[in-house]
Amino acid sequence: MDEQSHPISRGSLFLSNTEPQLTLECKKQSLLRGIYIEYRCLSMDGPQAYGLKHPAPLHRIPAEILSLAEELESIWRDPQLGGPFRMQQLFIELLREIYTELESRQPSSHSWIEQALLYIEANFNKDLTRDQMADLADVSPEHFSRMFRKHTGRTFNAYLTLLRIRCAQKRILTGSPDLNTLAQDVGYKDGFYLSRKFKESVGISPTAYKRQPKRIVALNLNHTAMLLALGIRPELGVYTPWLEQAQNKKNMSIGSNFNPNAYTPAAYYDAVASSHPDVIISYNTAEENNSLLSLAPILELPFKTMSWREQFRLIADTMNMQSIADDWLSQYDELVNRMNNQLDRVLGERGTAVVWEICPRKAYCFSSSYGRGSQILYHDLGFRPPSRLVERHITAHGYLEVDIEYIASYPADHIFITSLPSYQDDQQRVNRLFHSQKWCDLEPVRRNRVYLMNQPELFFGYDPISSQAQLHELMKALTTHHKYA
């Protein structure tokens, strides 16, 4: 581009304020194609340059931007697809998403206090002092102390101790080494000193803490269900009506129901604090984790990179319930084997499958890391994601978002629809899709292999209890004559 060479791949984006001179060089045959959009801004201020600027190409842009560009191209070729003003709407959305992505890639503008906190969190196990941190922040020690306490509510030494003790608690919960090794791992000179600081902070010794029954808070649906599968009722947990009903059928009680979306940040903290937790279980991507650190150690599980089985085992290890988890998973695997034997007789080779969740305006399909039944189809029952989803890097992104009308553009041997919209306008869009020629020409439609299940709460869970129920529902759809679109 303009006599400069750049590598490109799916997800590359080039921005230029002038009409660029483009040359494409391929060393081998490639199926890669691009969309070229040229536009001119008109303003009341005269011929001023407006638009998106970035000196270097952007790579690995989000799937949402690719989807918008693809839909814009389709409607440009066939304006009847989108109705009036849809093209303009898509173009504005595309510019907005690119602008948002550009902003997110700008260098971080953390203040010195935020940078200091990040440094402390990454190096708390080292020999840190207030004077060292003030020197790194290029402020006086006194100013550092004043601003640090104002920002965190703690002195520097108290905050450092909190991080070290919380880390020690997590290590004890997940199987720590001997006390002296643990002390050195978290930043103390020996086990005796760690034990003393631990007792000052927690109120009991590390040994007593390991044996003590724990009050547990689970801040999402999946970890709540994993605890229930182990026979543990969290003091505070996230429940859907489906999970509550599933527990009631087993005559199992539930703890206090926590709706994480119903609180302001301050009220969120107070709601968790009111349960007096000894352990908080959350995903490592949750923004609230840092603010809750003063309440209890937070067992942070990786999001999207750890399967529900691995998360279940980790929680079981933390609760000293490995044998219960092993028994549960063994019974589940036996059930999967029986189901596969049945599918061998009914279907033979599995082929491809896709799970769609149709929501207001948009539809979503998922990789196995996002659940929604995909973890069962792709991991347990031997189906494959369709090639078009693989090309869209569904595994890396976890999900794909498209307009409802474009579901038919992603064919598979089996199509599962686990959620349908409730608003009339969206229902009409779904009906138009189901009566369109493109939909009716799909092989799974002609062969009665589209399964309308519409059980969003059941398929939302990514945990042992939900996965077992999803397995039964998927098998029911695959092995009986199910209502189809």
Side-chain angles (χ1 to χ4, degrees):
M1 182 172 75
D2 298 332
E3 299 185 354
Q4 289 191 355
S5 295
H6 304 279
I8 60 172
S9 60
R10 177 171 178 80
S12 296
L13 171 67
F14 296 80
L15 299 168
S16 176
N17 285 328
T18 60
E19 184 176 350
Q21 299 298 315
L22 296 172
T23 305
L24 185 63
E25 297 177 359
C26 294
K27 293 183 178 179
K28 58 182 180 179
Q29 187 176 5
S30 172
L31 297 178
L32 195 67
R33 68 185 186 90
I35 299 174
Y36 178 81
I37 301 174
E38 183 178 331
Y39 69 98
R40 184 162 52 128
C41 293
L42 304 177
S43 75
M44 300 294 291
D45 304 327
Q48 219 173 331
Y50 290 90
L52 299 165
K53 302 177 182 178
H54 196 261
L58 298 174
H59 299 292
R60 303 179 72 176
I61 61 174
E64 290 82 2
I65 294 177
L66 297 177
S67 297
L68 284 169
E70 186 177 33
E71 186 178 355
L72 179 63
E73 181 196 25
S74 298
I75 292 180
W76 182 274
R77 295 181 185 281
D78 186 0
Q80 300 302 316
L81 283 175
F85 306 113
R86 178 58 178 159
M87 191 186 305
Q88 292 91 327
Q89 179 189 12
L90 281 169
F91 180 63
I92 295 299
E93 287 182 9
L94 179 64
L95 293 185
R96 184 188 63 194
E97 290 295 329
I98 294 174
Y99 175 81
T100 302
E101 182 65 17
L102 281 171
E103 288 294 299
S104 72
R105 297 192 185 201
Q106 297 305 308
S108 175
S109 58
H110 289 307
S111 69
W112 67 262
I113 190 69
E114 291 170 325
Q115 291 175 339
L117 285 170
L118 291 173
Y119 185 88
I120 295 167
E121 288 166 10
N123 298 279
F124 66 84
N125 59 336
K126 298 177 182 175
D127 187 17
L128 298 182
T129 66
R130 181 198 68 163
D131 288 355
Q132 286 174 338
M133 294 307 304
D135 189 47
L136 283 172
D138 198 23
V139 296
S140 71
E142 293 75 19
H143 183 64
F144 180 89
S145 292
R146 254 191 330 269
M147 295 305 295
F148 192 91
R149 184 156 196 164
K150 182 178 179 180
H151 192 83
T152 66
R154 284 182 165 78
T155 65
F156 167 74
N157 284 331
Y159 188 77
L160 187 62
T161 298
L162 175 69
L163 292 179
R164 289 172 171 175
I165 297 303
R166 290 292 183 249
C167 181
Q169 287 176 289
K170 284 199 291 185
R171 294 287 300 278
I172 290 169
L173 289 170
T174 55
S176 68
D178 66 87
L179 208 56
N180 283 324
T181 303
L182 177 59
Q184 293 171 14
D185 287 348
V186 301
Y188 291 125
K189 57 185 177 182
D190 56 46
F192 177 79
Y193 191 70
L194 168 62
S195 187
R196 192 179 71 163
K197 299 297 287 185
F198 194 100
K199 193 166 184 178
E200 288 175 4
S201 299
V202 182
I204 56 177
S205 70
T207 304
Y209 176 77
K210 186 175 180 66
R211 293 195 303 259
Q212 180 191 51
K214 310 292 190 298
R215 294 171 62 88
I216 305 168
V217 166
L219 297 182
N220 60 75
L221 171 69
N222 297 331
H223 299 149
T224 300
M226 289 176 190
L227 290 168
L228 294 174
L230 293 170
I232 300 172
R233 189 188 72 175
E235 297 297 325
L236 192 67
V238 180
Y239 298 85
T240 60
W242 179 86
L243 183 58
E244 287 187 25
Q245 187 178 15
Q247 288 301 104
N248 290 334
K249 285 181 179 178
K250 299 177 184 176
N251 294 320
M252 301 282 288
S253 61
I254 64 172
S256 299
N257 196 346
F258 178 64
N259 180 0
N261 300 315
Y263 297 97
T264 63
Y268 189 104
Y269 178 93
D270 292 340
V272 176
S274 66
S275 63
H276 307 290
D278 296 311
V279 182
I280 299 170
I281 303 178
S282 182
Y283 281 117
N284 61 358
T285 52
E287 295 181 359
E288 302 82 10
N289 290 354
N290 278 346
S291 66
L292 299 175
L293 199 61
S294 61
L295 298 176
I298 302 173
L299 181 63
E300 294 182 304
L301 278 69
F303 177 69
K304 216 178 79 170
T305 58
M306 184 179 276
S307 71
W308 69 264
R309 291 168 178 264
E310 293 168 321
Q311 294 179 50
F312 184 43
R313 285 188 184 279
L314 180 55
I315 290 176
D317 288 346
T318 304
M319 302 297 134
N320 290 319
M321 291 187 164
Q322 298 93 330
S323 61
I324 295 177
D326 289 342
D327 289 344
W328 205 103
L329 290 171
S330 177
Q331 292 176 26
Y332 179 82
D333 288 338
E334 288 178 10
L335 178 63
V336 168
N337 286 335
R338 291 201 303 272
M339 299 296 191
N340 273 309
N341 289 335
Q342 189 175 356
L343 284 183
D344 287 342
R345 296 191 297 271
V346 174
L347 291 180
E349 185 178 351
R350 304 295 190 264
T352 59
V354 62
V355 175
W356 287 102
E357 192 176 87
I358 306 181
C359 302
R361 292 193 60 221
K362 298 290 184 179
Y364 300 84
C365 63
F366 306 92
S367 73
S368 58
S369 63
Y370 262 77
R372 307 304 208 277
S374 295
Q375 78 279 15
I376 296 165
L377 290 169
Y378 300 148
H379 282 179
D380 295 332
L381 298 182
F383 290 89
R384 307 184 310 278
S387 58
R388 186 104 194 271
L389 290 185
V390 176
E391 292 168 4
R392 298 295 302 271
H393 303 291
I394 185 74
T395 302
H397 295 301
Y399 70 95
L400 177 69
E401 176 191 282
V402 301
D403 280 352
I404 292 171
E405 292 79 5
Y406 285 86
I407 292 177
S409 299
Y410 295 87
D413 297 321
H414 298 265
I415 299 176
F416 299 85
I417 299 175
T418 61
S419 176
L420 290 167
S422 55
Y423 295 116
Q424 186 175 2
D425 288 350
D426 295 313
Q427 289 174 348
Q428 290 174 352
R429 293 176 70 183
V430 172
N431 286 334
R432 285 197 297 271
L433 167 70
F434 287 169
H435 288 90
S436 68
Q437 191 61 49
K438 190 170 184 179
W439 177 263
C440 294
D441 287 342
L442 289 175
E443 184 179 357
V445 175
R446 292 187 282 104
R447 298 184 64 183
N448 297 350
R449 288 182 171 179
V450 177
Y451 313 101
L452 292 182
M453 309 176 83
N454 198 22
Q455 299 182 67
E457 283 188 358
L458 163 61
F459 280 92
F460 188 77
Y462 186 58
D463 60 80
I465 296 173
S466 299
S467 292
Q468 187 178 66
Q470 291 166 17
L471 174 61
H472 282 290
E473 289 301 315
L474 291 169
M475 285 298 297
K476 191 189 303 180
L478 288 164
T479 57
T480 61
H481 183 73
H482 202 75
K483 182 182 178 182
Y484 62 96

